[in-house]
Amino acid sequence: MAKITKINTSKLLIKPKIKVAAYARVSMDTDRLRHSLSTQISYYNNLIQENPEWEYVGVYADLGITGTSIEKRVEFKRMMEDCKRGKIDLILTKSIQRFARNTVDLLNVVRELKSLGIEVWFEKENIQSLSGDGELMLSILASFAQEESRSISENVKWGTIKRFKQGIPNGKFSIYGYRWEGEHLVIIEDEAKIVRRIYKEYLSGKSRLQIEKMFDVEGIKTRKGYRWVDSNIKVILTNIHYTGNLLFQKEYVVDPISGKTRKNRGELPQYFVENTHEAIISMEDFKKVETEMKRRRNAGAIGNPSINTTALTSKIRCVHCQKNFQRAIRNQKEAKVYTWLCANRKAGKKANCQTGEIREGILKEILQEALGVKVIDDKLIEEKIDYIEIIKKEKIIVYKNDGHVLEKPYREKDRSSYYTKEIREQLSKQRRDKHQYKRTYNATPFTGLVECGKCANPYRSQGRTLTTGVYERRMYCNTKSTICQNTSIKQYTLERIICDVLNIESFDEKTMDDKVQRIFINDNKVTILLKNGIEETRVYKEKRPFIPWSEERRKNQKQNPRVWTDEERLKQSELMKKVRREKKWSTRK
């Protein structure tokens, strides 16, 4: 029998090479540090390529960028992206200081790389991030690096202040209208003309917004070719350097790690150096602009020429949110109607203000009565009235310049004075002709009649088809539910209440228009004001309306979230399967 021998062949296992990259950084862009960065790059090129077990990926280098944050380090961020793509297994760097001076940033980056299976070697400290005690040593040494950064920052500040005391600026800053020639600022005449014109136009009464629009029309651009805007013009008007003097330490660094700066409002001393360069603007004009800015700021809207104002501007105040009232225009078919409303409400902000719109015509009639005059004009308002307070939409308090205070009800004037015979006839005609423009205005029999008893805004109607197939119309307050939580009401319910008050068997719109002047809704109560002056109140009860979540309820929900058990999930799943079978719902495949 032949002898058979099995010959085993041994496979040659090739160990894959480790993909290695390096990171280098210098914080300042100088010839010496450029040479240092170049040396680091050459060193890592040779080190990685000479190791047969390593595969060279590249050297990522940031020039002239601080290590206190990674936000502005382009190469560092590119390296992190390559790590996420699996291009790097190992990162070499000279020291912790080169990698990051911010302890939080350093640990976050190292932990992120650790989760990707990537190791970082810090040569100077001889630390490997994936070793057992690597993170502990990193946090300790990074804290030292961070404090060293703070110490360097304090030394830089000390040197800067020392130069300030000697009248030497901290570097050659850029300023529109000037250029640096050696150590001196020299005027650029074309730009200086624009600076002089800005001061001249502002002192002549124009606002910054008006100057901005004027420059835009004329095609005047900034040094970099951009459009002049309000903030640019403000910088020109508030920069004392145009007077030929320098003011140092107008801003200061709050924290060297975050790099955040803050305007110096007296926290640190400032240094004023006189006659350092040729002036574009005289000190006298600069002081005039400073005074005019303060005057306009104190005057509010009246002090801004670009805002259309009246004698009542900045005189009407809301006692609920301490804001001034602003004028608004409503375009109606016949003419424009001017109204006043709280600034918070006009801006759509959440506020406790419960004041609706105040018609300007009614307000002026109240002021005529308060001042005892037949005709009121802007001059009389400025001379006689200090300010006016509005309480909800019920009371107007007039504070006169002579110290007298007068209180007048608003709703009384609204009913007896504003609703003249002509206006009543017009409203009546609109209600009679609702069917003619129902498609356009989506009007209902109650359009223009129902008002919220809490915020004085009108009610709006909204229709929907219920699951039962019945079409239902419900009326809601026009104010956001986060501001006014007044109850809603079904149109059918309101019709039944009207029938009860008017003692009629079925609802009739014409009968309602002839007898009802206004309807007020407040917390499940309907108050109907009849044209004969009688008020009737009815209580209604419907399904509880949606109530917005309070902050306390949201907080409790976050702390104690609803957790479903396996039994509940199974029960809900069986229920939904049953519903699908009965309704024959189709499921997506």
Side-chain angles (χ1 to χ4, degrees):
M1 184 177 178
K3 184 179 179 181
I4 301 172
T5 305
K6 182 181 178 182
I7 302 172
N8 293 321
T9 59
S10 59
K11 283 188 177 180
L12 181 62
L13 298 176
I14 302 174
K15 186 178 179 181
K17 290 187 176 183
I18 301 172
K19 292 173 283 188
V20 183
Y23 178 74
R25 179 189 64 82
V26 291
S27 57
M28 296 180 68
D29 188 1
T30 63
D31 292 338
R32 183 178 63 83
L33 291 180
R34 275 178 179 272
H35 178 71
S36 173
L37 184 64
S38 177
T39 303
Q40 290 183 54
I41 294 171
S42 298
Y43 166 74
Y44 284 118
N45 277 331
N46 296 331
L47 178 66
I48 297 171
Q49 293 180 24
E50 287 175 1
N51 193 324
E53 297 180 357
W54 288 354
E55 178 186 339
Y56 178 74
V57 176
V59 178
Y60 301 83
D62 283 312
L63 173 64
I65 301 175
T66 178
T68 55
S69 174
I70 64 174
E71 291 302 318
K72 296 181 180 180
R73 290 195 272 168
V74 179
E75 285 293 286
F76 188 90
K77 291 164 78 172
R78 187 170 71 86
M79 179 184 70
M80 292 298 295
E81 288 297 321
D82 288 345
C83 288
K84 293 174 184 177
R85 295 190 184 100
K87 295 181 178 180
I88 301 172
D89 297 323
L90 174 64
I91 299 173
L92 307 179
T93 188
K94 182 179 178 182
S95 67
I96 292 173
Q97 294 180 358
R98 297 302 98 201
F99 208 67
R101 285 185 179 270
N102 187 326
T103 306
V104 176
D105 281 351
L106 174 67
L107 294 179
N108 287 340
V109 169
V110 169
R111 285 169 184 168
E112 184 179 356
L113 293 173
K114 186 177 181 180
S115 67
L116 298 172
I118 300 170
E119 189 170 29
V120 184
W121 286 4
F122 301 91
E123 289 190 282
K124 181 179 178 181
E125 293 84 4
N126 194 23
I127 295 175
Q128 298 177 7
S129 62
L130 295 185
S131 63
D133 57 351
E135 185 167 326
L136 174 62
M137 292 300 296
L138 279 175
S139 60
I140 295 172
L141 293 173
S143 298
F144 284 120
Q146 182 170 310
E147 289 307 312
E148 183 182 356
S149 180
R150 291 184 187 276
S151 177
I152 292 171
S153 175
E154 291 301 321
N155 292 336
V156 171
K157 286 181 182 177
W158 178 84
T160 301
I161 292 173
K162 188 175 180 181
R163 288 194 298 274
F164 285 165
K165 290 179 179 179
Q166 297 172 356
I168 303 171
N170 185 29
K172 296 179 180 180
F173 51 86
S174 177
I175 176 171
Y176 185 82
Y178 289 99
R179 69 171 181 272
W180 285 94
E181 287 188 1
E183 300 297 323
H184 301 283
L185 285 170
V186 179
I187 292 177
I188 303 173
E189 193 54 41
D190 291 341
E191 294 181 356
K193 289 178 182 177
I194 304 298
V195 174
R196 295 187 190 103
R197 186 176 174 189
I198 289 173
Y199 276 79
K200 181 182 177 182
E201 298 290 356
Y202 190 82
L203 290 175
S204 69
K206 288 186 175 63
S207 67
R208 298 198 301 262
L209 185 61
Q210 288 173 330
I211 297 172
E212 172 190 327
K213 291 178 179 178
M214 183 172 58
F215 280 8
D216 187 40
V217 171
E218 296 179 16
I220 299 174
K221 305 293 182 181
T222 63
R223 179 181 289 177
K224 294 184 178 180
Y226 296 119
R227 180 176 180 267
W228 280 93
V229 295
D230 176 84
S231 57
N232 301 135
I233 297 169
K234 183 180 178 181
V235 168
I236 298 292
L237 292 171
T238 55
N239 197 336
I240 199 170
H241 295 170
Y242 291 113
T243 62
N245 309 297
L246 291 179
L247 181 63
F248 298 146
Q249 202 155 255
K250 292 191 289 185
E251 294 181 348
Y252 64 96
V253 177
V254 180
D255 180 27
I257 304 302
S258 64
K260 290 183 178 179
T261 60
R262 183 179 296 169
K263 193 171 182 179
N264 188 359
R265 302 184 186 276
E267 294 87 353
L268 295 175
Q270 292 182 325
Y271 302 90
F272 185 70
V273 186
E274 298 183 48
N275 302 322
T276 57
H277 54 280
E278 188 180 353
I280 295 176
I281 300 298
S282 67
M283 180 60 80
E284 183 183 359
D285 285 344
F286 183 81
K287 292 292 184 183
K288 285 180 181 179
V289 167
E290 204 173 43
T291 305
E292 178 64 13
M293 275 190 170
K294 186 177 180 181
R295 185 195 69 79
R296 294 187 189 185
R297 187 166 54 249
N298 293 336
I302 297 175
N304 192 336
S306 61
I307 299 177
N308 293 326
T309 60
T310 70
L312 291 171
T313 302
S314 300
K315 284 186 179 288
I316 309 174
R317 301 176 186 175
C318 176
V319 298
H320 304 286
C321 58
Q322 309 304 318
K323 291 288 184 179
N324 286 338
F325 273 55
Q326 295 180 353
R327 200 184 195 205
I329 302 174
R330 288 195 176 276
N331 293 317
Q332 295 188 352
K333 279 189 173 182
E334 288 74 16
K336 292 181 179 180
V337 176
Y338 294 96
T339 61
W340 291 83
L341 68 161
C342 173
N344 272 340
R345 289 182 67 84
K346 189 175 181 183
K349 296 179 180 177
K350 296 179 181 179
N352 295 323
C353 175
Q354 297 178 349
T355 308
E357 292 181 344
I358 304 295
R359 288 179 178 266
E360 186 175 285
I362 300 170
L363 183 59
K364 285 189 175 181
E365 289 177 11
I366 295 173
L367 294 178
Q368 286 175 7
E369 185 181 336
L371 298 177
V373 295
K374 293 183 178 180
V375 180
I376 191 166
D377 55 16
D378 289 353
K379 185 178 180 182
L380 192 62
I381 292 173
E382 292 175 358
E383 290 177 355
K384 299 289 186 180
I385 297 175
D386 186 13
Y387 64 95
I388 303 164
E389 286 185 347
I390 307 290
I391 300 177
K392 293 187 178 180
K393 202 175 179 181
E394 300 170 358
K395 188 186 294 183
I396 295 177
I397 305 176
V398 181
Y399 293 84
K400 299 172 67 176
N401 286 328
D402 59 9
H404 288 82
V405 179
L406 301 173
E407 292 187 11
K408 293 291 178 181
Y410 176 81
R411 201 176 292 281
E412 178 185 340
K413 297 293 293 184
D414 192 0
R415 304 295 171 259
S416 62
S417 179
Y418 175 70
Y419 286 99
T420 60
K421 183 179 178 181
E422 292 78 13
I423 293 178
R424 290 178 192 278
E425 289 177 356
Q426 179 185 344
L427 291 174
S428 180
K429 183 178 183 300
Q430 285 181 354
R431 294 192 183 104
R432 286 196 300 270
D433 298 340
K434 280 174 188 171
H435 63 280
Q436 295 181 5
Y437 57 90
K438 187 172 288 187
R439 287 185 183 177
T440 306
Y441 291 91
N442 195 26
T444 71
F446 299 99
T447 301
L449 274 178
V450 185
E451 182 178 307
C452 178
K454 285 188 174 181
C455 67
N457 269 357
Y459 261 54
R460 58 181 171 83
S461 177
Q462 185 174 338
R464 62 173 182 168
T465 302
L466 305 178
T467 54
T468 57
V470 177
Y471 183 77
E472 176 189 85
R473 229 172 224 290
R474 183 176 284 273
M475 303 194 73
Y476 303 86
C477 176
N478 208 29
T479 305
K480 292 181 180 179
S481 61
T482 53
I483 299 174
C484 178
Q485 289 88 35
N486 204 2
T487 53
S488 62
I489 186 171
K490 293 179 183 177
Q491 185 170 309
Y492 175 78
T493 304
L494 196 53
E495 289 175 358
R496 294 299 90 206
I497 293 173
I498 292 293
C499 290
D500 180 47
V501 171
L502 301 182
N503 196 21
I504 55 179
E505 291 185 4
S506 60
F507 176 76
D508 181 67
E509 184 178 353
K510 186 177 183 304
T511 305
M512 179 186 68
D513 290 342
D514 291 340
K515 295 185 178 182
V516 177
Q517 179 174 328
R518 202 73 170 161
I519 301 172
F520 305 97
I521 297 177
N522 193 347
D523 290 336
N524 297 107
K525 289 183 181 180
V526 177
T527 301
I528 299 172
L529 177 64
L530 301 175
K531 291 185 178 180
N532 59 13
I534 298 174
E535 285 190 3
E536 295 281 349
T537 302
R538 298 288 188 273
V539 178
Y540 70 95
K541 190 173 182 180
E542 292 180 346
K543 184 179 178 182
R544 184 183 176 189
F546 168 74
I547 300 176
W549 281 31
S550 63
E551 291 299 326
E552 183 179 358
R553 186 179 176 189
R554 291 181 187 277
K555 186 177 179 181
N556 291 337
Q557 181 65 18
K558 288 180 180 180
Q559 292 175 350
N560 305 299
R562 174 76 164 86
V563 180
W564 286 56
T565 63
D566 293 338
E567 184 180 352
E568 287 175 327
R569 291 180 187 276
L570 181 61
K571 185 178 178 181
Q572 186 68 20
S573 177
E574 293 298 327
L575 177 62
M576 292 306 297
K577 288 177 182 178
K578 181 181 177 182
V579 170
R580 290 191 184 97
R581 284 195 300 269
E582 291 176 355
K583 293 192 175 183
K584 297 180 180 180
W585 286 3
S586 61
T587 57
R588 294 182 181 178
K589 294 182 180 180

